[in-house]
Amino acid sequence: MTPRPGREEDPDRLYTLTSGRSRPVSDAFDLVTLVVAECDPVPGMQSEHAAILRICRRPTAVVELAADLGLPVGITQVLLCDLLDTGRISARHPRTVRTAAQLPDPEILEQVLVGLRNL
Amino acid sequence: MTAQTALPRPRTGRLRIPARPREQRAPLAYLARALAAPLVVTIPVAVWLIVAAPGSLRAPAAAGAAAGILALVVAVAVAAQERWRARRLAGQLDALRAEAERFADELLPAAVRRITAGETVDRVLTAVREPLTGPQRRMLALIADRVGSSESRRAAAMAVGANAAGRMQALATGMLADLRQMEHRHTDPAVLHDLLHLDHRTAQAGRLADSIAVLTGARSGRRWAKPIRMESILRGAMGRIAGYQRVRLHSTSEVAVVGHAAEGVMHALAELMDNAANFSPPTAEVHVYVEEVPAGSVITVEDSGLVMGEVALRRAQSAVAAGSGDLTGLSGTRLGLTVVGRLALKHGLTISFRPSARGGTGAVMMIPQELLTVPRPGMDAGPDAEPLLPPEVPATAPSVPAPAETPDPDEEARHTAPELGESGLPKRRRGQTLSAAGHDGPGHDRPAARPSAGSAGHGTAAERAARFSTFRSAVHGTTPAAPAPAPDHESPASAPGADRDEHNATAPSPESDAR
């Protein structure tokens, strides 16, 4: 821990970012939901919203967004819900069906594990 | 103890006016002057009377004249003596009055001032050179003693308050930092909710400690090492009051407040916001506007609550204006405006109050230009650092076939998400960091590997490649200009054998360093 805690961080507390909300109103977002911006940031927007819109010019996973913003995932989800409600972003889940069908044989995975341990 | 014993130069004061002192007898010269005029008149008249009188009446006339002159002399002498004494007493009274006035107007205030400034009572008393009467000296001693003891009591109370406030501040700051860490650590929404609640409470406690620290003259608590953006200033202030959910911010300002003044500005703003929220209905909103003017930035906190009358406005203004004053007028429950006044004086802020167009009161704070700065992009690792990163990546990687003009979702998804091999596991392209480290010419697949993910604090792909290049040349003893591209597209799942071990033993795992 740094000798001067809090010296480097920002003064705004997390609850002021979301007006005290800590859980998203919808469950549209989980950790790997891909988010795409539908518009550009406008002046006067909350800076986190603007940052999300900038990062999400390319599809970005929620967890990556949270890491980029330096915010907890829960707070990020609340912010994303706000943007989703106003239609500024769209969200979709990564295609899990195809990857689930293509999961390799457990034996191969085991061999990989053994090989990795031998490294 | 009589008056005389304590006197350095005994003086007959007003206490002893009834007892007539001996030396108050008119000098002979004064008497002679007083007697001269009547004698000069009466003696020739008497001589003329005696000469003009018939012979038989001369003796009685002479006797009568002598008696008359004698009576006149006595009367005049007595009158002159009394007049002389009255004059003298009047002079003494004047001197005494002047001395008392000097004592009350100069000596006593000077002594009190020196004691208040920190000198000991004894030193101040012995330093008084002026002659004093006994009562004056006793009065001075009493007052000096009382002032000295109250001054030391005040100083002790202030020191205790300042010390306690400083510790409270440190505790609150530490707790806020801890809470921030916990908020990042716990993903359960219920836990996060509780943590945010605690965070809010702690921030309010911290503000109270800050207020006491300001009032007791302790040094300000937190110091920010970097300029703080206006949005963070407003939100930092807002987060320290109970009714923060009623505060609406309207700011497009891009300026930042310099680090050493940011805490004071935030604290003063928080007090103004708290006032606005407390003196308006519990459902009414408090609106905060930021406007940039040539002299600085103007922040207006407007509520729609009670309209402050002329008197109340003037009182608020004077509470804010009396920044350097002592705590005499402090009422105990209304610390806010006094705190704002202190902070305004310290940082050169200008605070004024006016009726608000929203129906309530507006508090206007002017932050002077010398406390403002324009934040450098990427000054902090916050959200504003982001524009430096991903959108420009295609320009630095010229061999990416389809730049941003044709947004193919799958292609873009592969830039941000790990790409999947045939096995369904995430797969890295082999040698990409190695080749980027080798030389920076074109022809490599994607030298900037996943530039958007998590690179905010670690520089660009080129920097990583440069670091790896240094590492590699140090290990191999070769120059980085001889890249050894490994065979491409080797599936990680298909080669878990011993040759891979050997390979990794000689070439120190470029993949593991790529991250």
Side-chain angles (χ1 to χ4, degrees):
Chain A
M1 198 168 177
T2 53
R4 298 285 296 272
R7 188 176 163 87
E8 292 303 325
E9 65 187 19
D10 281 329
D12 27 16
R13 312 304 303 171
L14 292 178
Y15 49 88
T16 58
L17 271 55
T18 62
S19 302
R21 292 164 299 156
S22 58
R23 63 192 81 198
V25 285
S26 76
D27 52 357
F29 298 96
D30 61 17
L31 289 183
V32 294
T33 307
L34 290 176
V35 181
V36 189
E38 297 288 342
C39 66
D40 280 331
V42 292
M45 215 176 217
Q46 194 180 338
S47 67
E48 285 77 18
H49 286 166
I52 288 175
L53 291 183
R54 276 196 302 268
I55 298 173
C56 292
R57 284 179 187 143
R58 292 164 173 278
T60 309
V62 171
V63 66
E64 277 193 86
L65 264 178
D68 279 356
L69 296 172
L71 296 175
V73 174
I75 301 290
T76 312
Q77 285 171 338
V78 174
L79 294 172
L80 286 172
C81 277
D82 292 346
L83 287 171
L84 187 67
D85 287 346
T86 53
R88 291 200 162 102
I89 57 168
S90 59
R92 74 180 164 81
H93 278 271
R95 275 168 245 159
T96 51
V97 184
R98 185 174 63 99
T99 50
Q102 288 182 348
L103 271 185
D105 201 356
E107 263 183 47
I108 298 180
L109 288 176
E110 211 165 301
Q111 282 179 15
V112 173
L113 193 61
V114 170
L116 286 174
R117 281 199 181 124
N118 288 339
L119 286 180
Chain B
M1 173 174 163
T2 64
Q4 267 81 5
T5 56
L7 291 182
R9 195 174 77 189
R11 184 178 289 201
T12 51
R14 54 193 160 195
L15 290 183
R16 302 199 41 173
I17 284 173
R20 188 172 295 173
R22 278 186 313 277
E23 73 269 19
Q24 282 195 354
R25 189 168 292 159
L28 285 178
Y30 182 82
L31 284 181
R33 266 205 311 281
L35 286 173
L39 288 184
V40 163
V41 176
T42 50
I43 288 178
V45 170
V47 169
W48 178 76
L49 274 177
I50 294 170
V51 171
S56 60
L57 290 177
R58 268 195 192 158
I69 287 175
L70 193 62
L72 183 68
V73 164
V74 169
V76 167
V78 168
Q81 163 76 15
E82 288 302 315
R83 178 150 179 268
W84 182 85
R85 231 186 55 218
R87 264 196 201 167
R88 198 188 143 106
L89 279 178
Q92 278 184 342
L93 272 180
D94 281 347
L96 276 175
R97 189 181 298 128
E99 197 179 329
E101 275 180 3
R102 198 174 53 85
F103 178 76
D105 293 341
E106 294 167 22
L107 219 141
L108 202 55
V112 169
R113 222 170 16 245
R114 288 175 68 176
I115 294 174
T116 321
E119 285 191 53
T120 62
V121 174
D122 287 341
R123 274 195 58 187
V124 171
L125 280 185
T126 50
V128 173
R129 291 272 164 259
E130 289 85 353
L132 292 179
T133 61
Q136 284 176 337
R137 187 161 281 281
R138 290 200 299 276
M139 209 187 323
L140 180 63
L142 182 68
I143 292 176
D145 191 43
R146 288 294 153 85
V147 169
S149 68
S150 84
E151 184 63 26
S152 59
R153 264 204 304 271
R154 191 195 68 86
M158 288 288 242
V160 167
N163 194 314
R167 288 191 197 180
M168 286 271 298
Q169 278 180 315
L171 273 178
T173 310
M175 268 181 77
L176 287 175
D178 291 350
L179 281 166
R180 176 72 68 107
Q181 285 183 356
M182 292 180 204
E183 282 156 12
H184 280 275
R185 200 180 308 140
H186 298 286
T187 52
D188 184 354
V191 176
L192 182 62
H193 184 81
D194 291 349
L195 285 176
L196 291 182
H197 182 72
L198 285 180
D199 197 335
H200 183 211
R201 291 295 176 97
T202 311
Q204 291 178 75
R207 177 169 68 97
L208 192 59
D210 287 345
S211 289
I212 298 173
V214 168
L215 290 178
T216 51
R219 63 179 189 82
S220 93
R222 271 160 283 183
R223 286 184 161 268
W224 303 98
K226 60 184 181 183
I228 305 292
R229 288 177 304 136
M230 186 56 82
E231 188 189 29
S232 293
I233 292 277
L234 296 179
R235 288 200 299 219
M238 171 181 142
R240 299 178 190 188
I241 72 169
Y244 74 96
Q245 281 159 312
R246 290 157 51 201
V247 179
R248 297 283 174 273
L249 305 179
H250 310 273
S251 163
T252 55
S253 179
E254 294 294 330
V255 298
V257 179
V258 295
H260 66 87
E263 181 63 28
V265 172
M266 252 188 287
H267 187 189
L269 259 182
E271 296 292 346
L272 292 179
M273 286 184 191
D274 198 36
N275 262 4
N278 285 342
F279 289 99
S280 57
T283 53
E285 292 180 344
V286 174
H287 289 263
V288 180
Y289 302 91
V290 180
E291 185 190 356
E292 287 176 32
V293 295
S297 274
V298 174
I299 303 178
T300 313
V301 180
E302 296 207 331
D303 63 54
S304 47
L306 298 170
V307 184
M308 287 169 86
E310 191 72 22
V311 180
L313 279 180
R314 218 176 312 128
R315 197 180 302 144
Q317 193 72 56
S318 68
V320 165
S324 62
D326 53 0
L327 307 180
T328 314
L330 213 55
S331 71
T333 52
R334 302 258 184 97
L335 304 178
L337 290 183
T338 315
V339 171
V340 173
R342 286 279 179 98
L343 291 168
L345 185 81
K346 180 177 173 192
H347 295 296
L349 312 170
T350 315
I351 316 275
S352 59
F353 296 90
R354 56 170 175 71
S356 160
R358 311 187 61 85
T361 302
V364 183
M365 170 193 280
M366 229 276 293
I367 307 176
Q369 197 71 53
E370 57 262 28
L371 296 184
L372 298 176
T373 174
V374 177
R376 283 174 287 122
M379 170 187 75
D380 51 3
D384 273 2
E386 188 272 336
L388 288 181
L389 297 173
E392 285 76 27
V393 162
T396 62
S399 60
V400 170
E405 279 82 14
T406 59
D408 177 11
D410 282 300
E411 175 65 24
E412 289 184 328
R414 263 194 286 142
H415 282 257
T416 54
E419 49 179 283
L420 304 179
E422 296 95 317
S423 60
L425 286 173
K427 192 181 87 175
R428 289 189 202 98
R429 302 265 178 115
R430 297 211 37 201
Q432 61 190 18
T433 307
L434 189 65
S435 55
H439 61 99
D440 10 65
H444 304 286
D445 273 349
R446 284 165 48 202
R450 298 181 61 227
S452 67
S455 55
H458 302 288
T460 63
E463 284 172 11
R464 285 200 302 258
R467 273 208 310 274
F468 175 59
S469 162
T470 317
F471 170 66
R472 182 168 158 269
S473 61
V475 168
H476 277 273
T478 61
T479 62
D488 211 356
H489 292 291
E490 186 180 355
S491 172
S494 65
D499 57 339
R500 196 173 159 78
D501 281 351
E502 193 182 328
H503 173 74
N504 277 334
T506 54
S509 65
E511 288 89 356
S512 70
D513 197 75
R515 290 269 164 130

